[in-house]
Amino acid sequence: MGEPEQRLIALGEAVHDIVFVTDLEGRMLWANRRLTEETGYVAADFAFEQPDNPFLHPDDAANVGRVIAEVVSSSDGSPGRVENRFRDKWGRVHLYRSTIQKTTWEAAPALLFSVRSAEPASAPPPSDESYRRIVEGANDGILKMSADGRIHFANARLLDIFGLTPVELGKRSFAELVLPCARERVASTVAGVAQRGASTTFEIRFAHPSGEIRSAEINASRLDDGDDRGLVLALVRDASTAHRLALAMREAQKLESVGVVASGIAHDFRNIVSAVLYGVTAAERAPSAGGRGEALAVVREAAERAAQLTSSLLAYVGRSDAKDEVLELGELVAAHERLLRAVIARNADLRIEPSEGPVRTSGNTGQVAQVLLNLVTNGAEALEGREGRVTVETKVLAIGEAEDGSWRPSAPAPGRYAALVVSDTGKGISEEARARIFDTFFTTKQHGRGLGLAAVMAVVRTQNGAVRTESEPGKGSTFTVVLGPALPG
């Protein structure tokens, strides 16, 4: 069993959800302990290729099969979601919500299921001691709020999720807990639940006091009884662990993309080894000390090139020891130039345009190098073997208030940022494809894997940055990556 599978198993056992993996035919490959704890069945009891499983409610079998078939046949790797009833080993019926997505298991296509309870719940009056103990001991955050988001009640778990004290929570509406870019959407959603009464599930991202950007899943419904009539009940589940599970899988998949540059690396190392052998032979045959010195200089230069190439490759796959530090983007590009040229076709041109002054920011050298190499590789592939050019530029970019919505995952706040710009003269990207190019497994290339740009977006999120794509079919593409605030030179 490989490292990706071992990583998934470790993370799958750490989450509260039921997590399991099947092959495309429905045969169970692995399941976490939570499955047995919650249903009474072991992994060997589950066989999704058989329609008469004892755990699946017969009225829901067709719908579950339809969603699984859609996920298997999808070309863009979009996850599927379905609600259905399960009958546990003791005869009790439960409602579950499942997310299904494509993955790989031991180098073969597979499906990853993340399953959690969808049972309706309500927050009892906190004055009742027995119910109060249940609410305060719940694994999920529970809160009641009015239509305008003012919070009337919150349990201890909710305070723990957001890292706030009761006093700090009391000063904010629910929308003020989330990132600024989503506050209007969240406020509208809460008001809609209070007005229409239909329950809904959505995700939020928020800034934890630790400085980490975290995620939570919200299930909101209207209360229609007693003193709480008209209030909105929200069950809040910390989704950060689930996101880390997905990111870990993407990281494992990203490492596979090293094979895209393997041929270029092999070619460069062959040239280095040839230079070393030439220098050694010349030194052995040199009639004088001066001639031997010149030959050894060739060997030294080749060895230095090999060390630089190896360091760049280690940084790309995340095996370097670099941590967050002050980076000068022009120097980073120059240090990786040889590795960048290794991925460019021989009939194409790599142009590096340094800025007029230093472009400094704080970040992880390995992660920024990964973004750089993935974008250059993407540009080189867009040329499709034809003559063309990939240009790398570093600059300090000023962003104002009236920034458009083309930035992903969201527009940066106004300010001056260190930016990396990679453009190509390739075939360009259609407007429809631009909306999906950062999705894992989505690709517009005949032999692409759809991993490179997904890895770029993963790093951009980690760095709290943003990326903008400008492209027209037949006119090439430009990717502008904002990595962090520009530091004084």
Side-chain angles (χ1 to χ4, degrees):
M1 186 173 294
E3 181 180 348
E5 291 79 16
Q6 293 174 355
R7 186 177 301 170
L8 173 59
I9 289 173
L11 288 168
E13 294 293 1
V15 300
H16 183 74
D17 294 352
I18 297 172
V19 179
F20 58 91
V21 179
T22 75
D23 64 16
L24 299 188
E25 300 299 322
R27 286 176 285 271
M28 184 71 78
L29 302 175
W30 171 81
N32 66 352
R33 288 191 298 268
R34 184 67 181 170
L35 179 140
T36 300
E37 293 171 357
E38 192 147 328
T39 70
Y41 292 103
V42 297
D45 295 323
F46 288 76
F48 284 93
E49 75 276 13
Q50 298 176 8
D52 57 345
N53 276 290
F55 57 89
L56 182 59
H57 195 286
D59 293 344
D60 296 337
N63 188 44
V64 173
R66 177 186 59 80
V67 174
I68 292 176
E70 289 175 354
V71 173
V72 171
S73 62
S74 68
S75 59
D76 61 359
S78 298
R81 293 178 174 85
V82 64
E83 282 191 3
N84 59 272
R85 289 161 289 180
F86 279 74
R87 183 181 291 107
D88 66 24
K89 201 165 187 176
W90 304 282
R92 296 172 299 190
V93 176
H94 306 274
L95 181 65
Y96 287 106
R97 181 182 298 113
S98 302
T99 299
I100 310 164
Q101 63 188 70
K102 287 182 179 179
T103 186
T104 57
W105 188 268
E106 297 183 344
L111 295 174
L112 172 65
F113 291 73
S114 180
V115 182
R116 63 180 52 176
S117 174
E119 301 283 359
S122 60
S127 58
D128 186 300
E129 182 63 22
S130 61
Y131 284 120
R132 187 189 67 80
R133 291 181 178 178
I134 295 174
V135 170
E136 291 300 334
N139 287 326
D140 292 339
I142 300 175
L143 65 84
K144 292 185 294 185
M145 56 186 158
S146 55
D148 61 3
R150 288 184 296 111
I151 296 173
H152 291 237
F153 167 78
N155 68 346
R157 176 57 179 152
L158 185 125
L159 296 172
D160 179 60
I161 290 173
F162 287 96
L164 299 174
T165 66
V167 173
E168 291 171 333
L169 184 68
K171 296 178 180 179
R172 308 184 191 185
S173 68
F174 182 66
E176 290 173 332
L177 297 176
V178 307
L179 295 181
C181 60
R183 287 176 182 172
E184 184 176 346
R185 172 181 61 84
V186 169
S188 175
T189 300
V190 172
V193 171
Q195 180 181 1
R196 293 183 293 272
S199 62
T200 185
T201 299
F202 57 97
E203 284 199 6
I204 63 169
R205 299 178 70 228
F206 60 94
H208 192 269
S210 66
E212 182 182 1
I213 302 299
R214 297 187 179 182
S215 303
E217 182 182 87
I218 313 298
N219 182 273
S221 58
R222 188 177 67 190
L223 297 172
D224 293 323
D225 298 316
D227 296 337
D228 294 333
R229 185 180 182 86
L231 296 182
V232 174
L233 170 72
L235 304 181
V236 183
R237 172 162 294 181
D238 187 353
S240 300
T241 302
H243 278 278
R244 284 194 291 270
L245 174 64
L247 286 174
M249 286 302 297
R250 285 201 295 270
E251 176 70 12
Q253 292 160 350
K254 179 213 59 176
L255 294 180
E256 298 176 7
S257 64
V258 174
V260 176
V261 299
S263 60
I265 299 298
H267 179 86
D268 222 32
F269 263 114
R270 183 177 62 186
N271 291 342
I272 291 170
V273 172
S274 297
V276 171
L277 293 175
Y278 167 80
V280 171
T281 302
E284 291 174 344
R285 297 177 179 177
S288 64
R292 287 191 293 274
E294 292 177 0
L296 291 175
V298 172
V299 174
R300 175 181 291 275
E301 180 183 358
E304 290 174 349
R305 282 193 293 151
Q308 183 184 45
L309 189 63
T310 302
S311 297
S312 298
L313 188 58
L314 286 173
Y316 167 66
V317 299
R319 293 296 186 266
S320 67
D321 295 328
K323 299 180 179 179
D324 282 359
E325 57 187 341
V326 175
L327 308 174
E328 205 291 304
L329 295 186
E331 294 177 355
L332 184 140
V333 172
H336 291 78
E337 181 176 354
R338 188 175 300 278
L339 183 58
L340 298 177
R341 293 193 182 279
V343 304
I344 299 291
R346 300 305 170 191
N347 60 341
D349 177 41
L350 174 67
R351 180 177 299 176
I352 295 177
E353 297 183 355
S355 63
E356 295 181 358
V359 181
R360 303 172 76 245
T361 188
S362 177
N364 182 289
T365 300
Q367 291 182 337
V368 177
Q370 173 192 322
V371 168
L372 173 64
L373 183 56
N374 281 18
L375 288 178
V376 171
T377 300
N378 181 75
E381 291 176 345
L383 299 178
E384 296 184 325
R386 300 188 298 267
E387 292 185 0
R389 182 176 64 254
V390 177
T391 303
V392 179
E393 181 182 3
T394 57
K395 62 166 60 174
V396 175
L397 184 64
I399 294 180
E401 292 280 359
E403 199 66 31
D404 60 35
S406 60
W407 292 96
R408 295 181 63 184
S410 60
R416 290 167 55 82
Y417 292 87
L420 181 68
V421 183
V422 178
S423 58
D424 64 73
T425 59
K427 64 178 183 179
I429 311 169
S430 68
E431 182 177 356
E432 179 183 2
R434 285 204 305 274
R436 300 167 56 195
I437 55 176
F438 295 104
D439 295 346
T440 307
F441 295 122
F442 177 78
T443 179
T444 60
K445 305 178 183 69
Q446 182 177 359
H447 301 294
R449 301 188 183 189
L451 296 172
L453 292 182
V456 168
M457 179 56 68
V459 172
V460 165
R461 291 181 184 275
T462 301
Q463 299 276 140
N464 294 323
V467 57
R468 180 173 63 194
T469 307
E470 302 166 276
S471 183
E472 290 184 39
K475 296 185 178 180
S477 305
T478 298
F479 291 83
T480 302
V481 180
V482 165
L483 294 166
L487 301 177

